[in-house]
Amino acid sequence: MVQLNLDAVKEPKGFMKVLQFFFAILAFATTTSFSTYFTFHASIKPPCNDTGATVVRQEVSYPFRLDAVIQEKQLCTQPAVEGRFHFQTDTSSDAEFFVAIGVICMLYSMAALAGYTLYGERYSESDSLPTADFLLHGLLAFLWLCAASAWAAGAGTLKDGCNPEVWMDQVCKGNVTCTFESGDFKGSFGKLNISLLFGFLNTFLWASNMWFLYKETPWFRGNQQNAPPAGDVGNI
């Protein structure tokens, strides 16, 4: 009969599962909800009779696929001339991999916590369940490290992609002139940096929990059973 045992949450492996569930949500939620923007000024060379440059503003949000955006902006009214701006940055694969690992780990934490609280006795008596749990934790810890590292590299690329001074000469061509002026904006990335911290924190949580899970495996129990009693050490 299935019996709910909330004492499992007080054990190290159960308490760590609560932390893993919570911080996995924080990791992918701060990534998917992050948004910013950047601006620059663009103008058309003569024969445009307008004075002043036009502000071009580009919104940036998950999945950060800026290369799919072609923004058209009217740069001159007399005569009517539009400028086309095609941004090249694409960090969607890094961001989506990071979010996918976060969602997978959140779901696994929920399932494992349900198993600890509902089937704790069966888990303790089994050899295969603790072993599978331990091995899956090792795999997910490694995937967290890969995802956090990839997203850290992608975040650096995204920051460059939001800095018009980096790519202005490549995007603004022909008779279109672009400048980055004092009132322009390169984006704010505080929330994105927090998502990176959560990613590496999750790597630490999943890796450190492997010690508690290892103590549940038959490998650890077998070593404990084969170890000589403390009083017999001196008689060897």
Side-chain angles (χ1 to χ4, degrees):
M1 182 178 177
V2 176
Q3 230 175 1
L4 181 64
N5 179 21
L6 294 179
D7 288 338
V9 180
K10 301 177 183 178
E11 298 176 2
K13 70 176 187 293
F15 181 68
M16 289 290 283
K17 272 289 167 289
V18 175
L19 293 179
Q20 289 168 344
F21 172 79
F22 179 68
F23 283 104
I25 293 176
L26 289 178
F28 71 76
T30 51
T31 303
T32 55
S33 63
F34 170 75
S35 64
T36 186
Y37 69 94
F38 61 86
T39 63
F40 59 95
H41 282 69
S43 59
I44 199 83
K45 293 179 181 179
C48 181
N49 297 322
D50 293 353
T51 58
T54 302
V55 177
V56 180
R57 172 175 172 141
Q58 178 59 49
E59 301 291 337
V60 179
S61 61
Y62 181 82
F64 315 113
R65 193 176 289 113
L66 292 179
D67 63 342
V69 176
I70 299 178
Q71 185 174 158
E72 295 183 352
K73 194 78 173 179
Q74 186 168 4
L75 303 180
C76 185
T77 57
Q78 298 177 358
V81 178
E82 285 190 344
R84 290 169 57 88
F85 305 97
H86 185 199
F87 310 107
Q88 303 298 319
T89 305
D90 180 10
T91 60
S92 59
S93 59
D94 299 327
E96 289 171 346
F97 178 46
F98 184 80
V99 169
I101 295 301
V103 173
I104 290 170
C105 288
M106 179 199 70
L107 296 175
Y108 182 78
S109 298
M110 290 174 58
L113 195 56
Y116 297 161
T117 54
L118 297 175
Y119 304 98
E121 186 175 347
R122 184 181 301 178
Y123 182 94
S124 301
E125 294 173 353
S126 172
D127 286 342
S128 59
L129 289 177
T131 302
D133 198 15
F134 173 76
L135 293 175
L136 280 172
H137 260 74
L139 175 62
L140 291 173
F142 174 72
L143 289 176
W144 263 124
L145 178 61
C146 294
S149 300
W151 181 220
T157 302
L158 182 63
K159 291 175 182 179
D160 287 340
C162 292
N163 183 359
E165 293 179 303
V166 173
W167 43 257
M168 194 176 293
D169 294 338
Q170 300 173 0
V171 173
C172 304
K173 299 178 180 178
N175 61 343
V176 177
T177 302
C178 296
T179 57
F180 186 83
E181 301 182 6
S182 58
D184 286 323
F185 190 58
K186 299 179 182 180
S188 177
F189 299 95
K191 192 174 183 180
L192 185 146
N193 293 331
I194 291 174
S195 74
L196 294 174
L197 291 176
F198 283 139
F200 287 106
L201 178 59
N202 274 288
T203 303
F204 171 77
L205 288 174
W206 285 79
S208 60
N209 195 31
M210 291 182 66
W211 167 245
F212 302 114
L213 296 177
Y214 173 70
K215 295 172 72 173
E216 304 278 346
T217 63
W219 305 321
F220 181 83
R221 293 198 297 264
N223 291 336
Q224 292 294 101
Q225 292 172 358
N226 295 331
D232 295 341
V233 175
N235 299 326
I236 297 176

